[in-house]
């Protein structure tokens, strides 16, 4: 059972370019307060509660009950769980669902689910009547610490992921860590990879806490999760507030959040998505540590430190399986098509140490050579 007496942790995320800020509330059992939170400062109207086929049966009734208790009229819209639902077709269907449900300009979309629901429902809110209010209620750890904060919303095209999207900042983000009780362990691990990334980029203390408390995290220790999640969100939020629209010059803004993603994304593609995104990012984080040492940016020992952290968090570390032979060649080809590629070099986020990121540019061939040559045996 949740502890309704526990106070939520509240973070303000500033969007300076739009003179706007939104609150992220993090706590155990917060979903039961969704209606009351939404009713603050607005007349109860219509809400489209968008979720997926896994999450709606588990957590939809709590969200709906709380919204209705606060006087909102709720229409549920459910998509099939999984990335294949993040399409323009599904987006248009949902927009038409909002029309059918009678939503107007002053009504609200509530996204209840993982990053797929958050991105898809977020884009629906961005385009319906040229944009209506969006409240993110992320239910996967990855969505809680990453996807729900920062305002990026999108669907995929056959040509690539997230190619049709927008910035649409939420009115509020409500993170109920108690919903993680029903999240499968491997999905929890994917969120932990992003939390580890936030620690590696901005806070050695956060990284150490994750490693030390890994077993309690997997046990879904309720007294622990809100603070850890809030810390990770605060680290990401500080970064996106410095660069809300991803316009900052290299090394200063959101581009840092690509740590571990250049090689990670290439491996994810070559695995034909057999590796989950977070598992591929875990390998990408090991690659970053190795490359940073091989390039002389970091002191020796960083790779061993990263591997120990990944193992503690039950994440994969078998990077070398992806560097040689057919697979290695495919990873290199994929790097050459990295969307951040300019001319023949790739923007790469390296680490001088934990909490000390550096942006460098490297040709894909050199990335692979450094990774192959710098292996810790
Ligand atoms: N907008 C951004 O800034 C941003 C950042 C990172 C990732 N993303 C996007 O997020 C998506 C990945 O997010 P994800 O990993 O959450 O995927 P997801 O939404 O597919 O969720 C993963 C799985 O967990 C299930 N699930 C979610 N919460 C649950 C719960 N509490 N209990 C039981 N099951 C639950 C879902 O139904 C799904 O099967 C990708 O599409 C990615 O592009 C967006």
């Amino acid at each position: 059972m949740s502890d309704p007496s526990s106070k939520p942790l509240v973070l303000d995320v500033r969007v300076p370019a739009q003179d706007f800020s939104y609150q992220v509330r993090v706590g155990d059992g917060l979903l039961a307060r969704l209606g009351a939170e939404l009713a603050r400062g607005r007349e109860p109207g219509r809400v489209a509660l968008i979720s997926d086929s896994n999450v709606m049966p588990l957590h939809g009734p709590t969200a709906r009950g709380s919204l209705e208790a606060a006087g909102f009229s709720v229409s549920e819209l459910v998509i099939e769980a999984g990335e294949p639902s993040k399409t323009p077709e599904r987006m248009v269907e949902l927009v038409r669902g909002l029309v059918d449900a009678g939503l107007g300009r002053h009504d609200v979309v509530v996204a209840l689910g993982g990053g797929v629901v958050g991105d898809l429902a977020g884009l629906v809110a961005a385009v319906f009547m040229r944009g209506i209010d969006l409240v993110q209620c992320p239910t996967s750890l990855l969505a809680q610490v990453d996807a729900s904060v920062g305002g990026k919303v999108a669907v995929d095209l056959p040509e690539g992921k997230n190619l049709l999207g927008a910035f649409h900042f939420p009115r509020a983000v409500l993170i109920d860590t108690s919903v993680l009780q029903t999240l499968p362990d491997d999905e929890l691990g994917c969120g932990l990879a992003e939390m580890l990334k936030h620690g590696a980029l901005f806070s050695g203390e956060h990284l150490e806490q994750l490693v030390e408390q890994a077993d309690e995290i997997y046990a879904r220790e309720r007294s622990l999760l809100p603070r850890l999640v809030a810390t990770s969100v605060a680290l990401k939020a500080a970064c996106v507030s410095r660069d809300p629209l991803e316009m900052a010059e290299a090394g200063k803004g959101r581009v840092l959040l690509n740590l571990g993603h250049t090689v990670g994304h290439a491996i994810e593609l070559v695995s034909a998505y057999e590796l989950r995104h977070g598992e591929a990012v875990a390998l990408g984080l090991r690659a970053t540590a190795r490359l940073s040492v091989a390039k002389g940016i970091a002191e020796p020992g960083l790779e061993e430190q990263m591997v120990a952290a990944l193992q503690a968090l039950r994440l994969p570390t078998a990077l070398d399986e992806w560097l040689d032979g057919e697979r290695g060649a495919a990873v290199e080809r994929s790097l050459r098509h990295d969307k951040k590629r300019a001319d023949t070099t790739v923007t790469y986020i390296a680490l001088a140490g934990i909490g000390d990121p550096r942006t460098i540019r490297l040709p894909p061939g050199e990335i692979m050579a450094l990774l192959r040559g710098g292996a810790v045996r």
Side-chain angles (χ1 to χ4, degrees):
M1 291 296 289
S2 62
D3 172 8
S5 64
S6 62
K7 280 224 158 59
L9 303 160
V10 182
L11 305 162
D12 275 305
V13 184
R14 286 187 316 110
V15 186
Q18 301 188 355
D19 194 20
F20 170 70
S21 71
Y22 55 94
Q23 282 197 333
V24 182
R25 302 173 94 78
V26 189
D28 183 280
L30 272 193
L31 205 52
R33 302 193 213 163
L34 169 63
E37 295 288 345
L38 202 57
R40 285 199 291 175
R42 79 162 63 232
E43 289 297 309
R46 293 182 195 279
V47 169
L49 179 63
I50 302 182
S51 191
D52 75 19
S53 50
N54 292 333
V55 176
M56 189 66 104
L58 292 167
H59 304 294
T62 308
R64 181 180 192 133
S66 125
L67 287 164
E68 287 180 344
F72 290 94
S73 139
V74 180
S75 301
E76 291 183 4
L77 299 167
V78 183
I79 58 155
E80 197 55 44
E83 187 75 25
S85 285
K86 242 179 77 173
T87 61
E89 293 76 16
R90 205 61 70 241
M91 178 194 74
V92 172
E93 275 173 30
L94 288 170
V95 168
R96 298 179 84 170
L98 265 56
V99 176
D100 286 348
L103 264 79
R105 198 175 295 286
H106 301 292
D107 293 321
V108 184
V109 168
V110 171
L112 176 71
V116 166
V117 168
D119 277 10
L120 175 62
L123 189 60
V124 168
V127 298
F128 177 67
M129 295 188 150
R130 300 192 183 83
I132 66 168
D133 283 355
L134 167 70
V135 173
Q136 292 277 12
C137 295
T139 63
S140 69
L141 184 59
L142 183 132
Q144 295 191 342
V145 299
D146 190 0
S148 67
V149 176
K152 284 185 177 180
V153 295
V155 294
D156 304 331
L157 296 180
E159 291 82 356
K161 262 178 68 97
N162 297 326
L163 287 179
L164 183 65
F167 283 97
H168 189 62
F169 296 97
R171 281 286 140 195
V173 183
L174 205 83
I175 300 179
D176 181 352
T177 48
S178 77
V179 302
L180 300 175
Q181 305 289 337
T182 60
L183 187 73
D185 275 0
D186 44 15
E187 297 295 347
L188 194 80
C190 288
L192 286 172
E194 299 293 343
M195 293 174 85
L196 180 61
K197 179 191 81 176
H198 294 154
L201 277 171
F202 306 121
S203 165
E205 194 185 333
H206 185 50
L207 184 144
E208 274 167 32
Q209 282 176 349
L210 291 171
V211 168
E212 279 166 14
Q213 298 174 323
D215 289 344
E216 288 94 329
I217 297 171
Y218 274 98
R220 318 302 199 269
E221 184 58 61
R222 300 188 98 151
S223 58
L224 186 76
L225 291 171
R227 188 153 295 282
L228 281 177
V229 168
T231 302
S232 216
V233 170
L235 293 170
K236 173 166 181 185
C239 180
V240 301
S241 287
R242 287 194 294 273
D243 180 22
L245 302 177
E246 203 164 354
M247 306 287 274
E249 58 189 274
K252 297 254 169 66
R254 286 178 90 132
V255 69
L256 294 176
L257 298 168
N258 285 326
L259 183 83
H261 282 61
T262 305
V263 170
H265 189 233
I267 292 176
E268 184 182 7
L269 283 178
V270 171
S271 85
Y273 295 99
E274 287 215 352
L275 280 182
R276 288 183 158 74
H277 178 71
E279 294 167 342
V281 168
L283 298 180
L285 289 173
R286 179 173 188 176
T288 298
R290 180 182 296 179
L291 186 144
S292 302
V293 174
K295 199 73 186 143
I297 297 169
E299 297 289 327
L302 187 64
E303 183 175 359
E304 290 82 345
Q305 190 182 355
M306 191 66 84
V307 168
L310 292 168
Q311 284 171 341
L313 294 170
R314 307 181 196 174
L315 290 165
T317 57
L319 172 65
D320 292 290
E321 291 177 5
W322 298 91
L323 300 179
D324 295 319
E326 276 295 302
R327 273 178 161 188
V331 170
E332 187 167 336
R333 273 197 303 281
S334 177
L335 278 175
R336 291 186 193 285
H337 290 97
D338 188 294
K339 66 179 175 195
K340 293 170 284 301
R341 179 179 57 104
D343 302 327
T344 53
T345 59
V346 168
T347 300
Y348 195 92
I349 312 302
L351 287 174
I354 298 300
D356 192 2
R358 302 290 159 87
T359 306
I360 56 177
R361 299 197 62 83
L362 285 173
E366 189 181 340
I367 292 177
M368 295 305 284
L370 286 166
L371 292 178
R372 289 182 191 121
V376 178
R377 305 285 179 196

